[in-house]
Amino acid sequence: MKEDSQSSKVYLELRKKILSNQLIPGTRLKEDAWATKIEVSRISVREALNRLLGEGLLEIGQRGGYYVKSMTAADLREIRQLREVLERGALRLAINNATSEDVTELERICDDFSLMVRNGYFAGACEADVRFHETLINIARNSKLKQVYEMSNIPLFHLKLGQSLTHMNDYELTDKEHREIVDALKSKDMEKAENFLIAHLNRGELTSLELA
């Protein structure tokens, strides 16, 4: 396997584990350990770690080394505000751009989320939550918007929220809110879609602040 392919493999694996809380904030990621675990070169691991560092998912420790980034209350608030701006914009574009296939994909993600929760696979539910919001951004079909979204620390909001979703009721509310957004999108009701999204993001921030 080529070096760049190996690096992408490591990046995708570590990103998934970070966002699904399998690698919690403060965890150190060692190049040699992950090179052995994923069966790639240390260079590939280092390239993947630097990419995750650039995305804000990792940070450098005081004595060096890569660590899964922790979040402060201020980080959470600013990221929630940024998400509101970007995702409301995405919704406005999606209202006009969404195809029946797009809506079906969102509904499929909601079903995946529900299934993961019912089976007690909460890491998988967190992955589905991330995928839901990333799909909303994709449906906007605006490459610049998508670039800003991906370059921000928004994935860390999902990470913190995933830590805070400790009760079944929290997951059920998330599922309900996702489906309300999809229904509003289907009916092209922008006001309802925005209101549901804002309420969803605000609840996520308040829930996450309990652990900040």
Side-chain angles (χ1 to χ4, degrees), residues 136-153:
L136 276 181
I137 295 295
N138 290 335
I139 292 174
R141 293 181 174 81
N142 184 303
S143 60
K144 300 302 182 185
L145 175 65
K146 182 177 179 179
Q147 183 179 33
V148 172
Y149 190 86
E150 291 177 343
M151 290 176 63
S152 71
N153 284 339

Side-chain angles (χ1 to χ4, degrees), residues 121-137:
Y121 182 38
F122 300 118
C126 288
E127 289 178 32
D129 181 29
V130 173
R131 197 162 73 252
F132 178 87
H133 291 275
E134 289 181 339
T135 300
L136 276 181
I137 295 295

Side-chain angles (χ1 to χ4, degrees), residues 188-199:
K188 296 188 180 298
D189 191 326
M190 188 62 219
E191 183 178 358
K192 280 189 176 180
E194 282 189 317
N195 289 340
F196 288 140
L197 175 67
I198 292 169

Side-chain angles (χ1 to χ4, degrees), residues 35-49:
T36 300
K37 187 170 184 176
I38 304 181
E39 298 181 338
V40 296
S41 69
R42 289 187 61 174
I43 293 175
S44 296
V45 175
R46 187 179 307 120
E47 289 177 351
L49 293 175

Side-chain angles (χ1 to χ4, degrees), residues 161-178:
L161 181 58
Q163 289 180 283
S164 64
L165 293 179
T166 55
H167 303 291
M168 183 63 72
N169 185 52
D170 294 321
Y171 285 100
E172 290 174 348
L173 280 173
T174 296
D175 186 35
K176 177 176 179 290
E177 291 162 351
H178 283 174

Side-chain angles (χ1 to χ4, degrees), residues 76-84 157 201-202 205:
L76 288 167
R77 185 168 295 108
E78 290 182 0
I79 290 173
R80 193 271 303 159
Q81 291 170 343
L82 178 59
R83 287 190 68 189
E84 185 174 318
F157 186 95
L201 296 179
N202 284 339
E205 180 191 354

Side-chain angles (χ1 to χ4, degrees), residues 12-153:
L12 292 172
E13 179 69 14
L14 292 179
R15 187 176 190 272
K16 182 176 74 172
K17 288 183 180 298
I18 291 171
L19 295 180
S20 62
N21 296 301
Q22 295 177 60
L23 292 171
I24 63 174
T27 301
R28 183 175 183 180
L29 303 182
K30 297 182 178 180
E31 292 177 17
D32 54 351
W34 282 99
T36 300
K37 187 170 184 176
I38 304 181
E39 298 181 338
V40 296
S41 69
R42 289 187 61 174
I43 293 175
S44 296
V45 175
R46 187 179 307 120
E47 289 177 351
L49 293 175
N50 281 324
R51 185 174 174 183
L52 292 166
L53 178 68
E55 290 185 4
L57 288 174
L58 301 181
E59 58 188 354
I60 301 295
Q62 292 183 346
R63 298 183 179 179
Y66 297 88
Y67 292 81
V68 178
K69 189 173 181 179
S70 300
M71 295 194 74
T72 66
D75 289 331
L76 288 167
R77 185 168 295 108
E78 290 182 0
I79 290 173
R80 193 271 303 159
Q81 291 170 343
L82 178 59
R83 287 190 68 189
E84 185 174 318
V85 170
L86 295 179
E87 294 190 40
R88 285 178 72 182
L91 274 179
R92 289 185 174 276
L93 294 172
I95 284 286
N96 297 317
N97 295 333
T99 64
S100 58
E101 289 79 11
D102 292 329
V103 173
T104 298
E105 176 62 18
L106 287 172
E107 291 175 330
R108 185 181 299 116
I109 294 171
C110 289
D111 290 341
D112 286 345
F113 183 92
S114 299
L115 179 63
M116 297 295 181
V117 173
R118 284 199 304 273
N119 292 335
Y121 182 38
F122 300 118
C126 288
E127 289 178 32
D129 181 29
V130 173
R131 197 162 73 252
F132 178 87
H133 291 275
E134 289 181 339
T135 300
L136 276 181
I137 295 295
N138 290 335
I139 292 174
R141 293 181 174 81
N142 184 303
S143 60
K144 300 302 182 185
L145 175 65
K146 182 177 179 179
Q147 183 179 33
V148 172
Y149 190 86
E150 291 177 343
M151 290 176 63
S152 71
N153 284 339

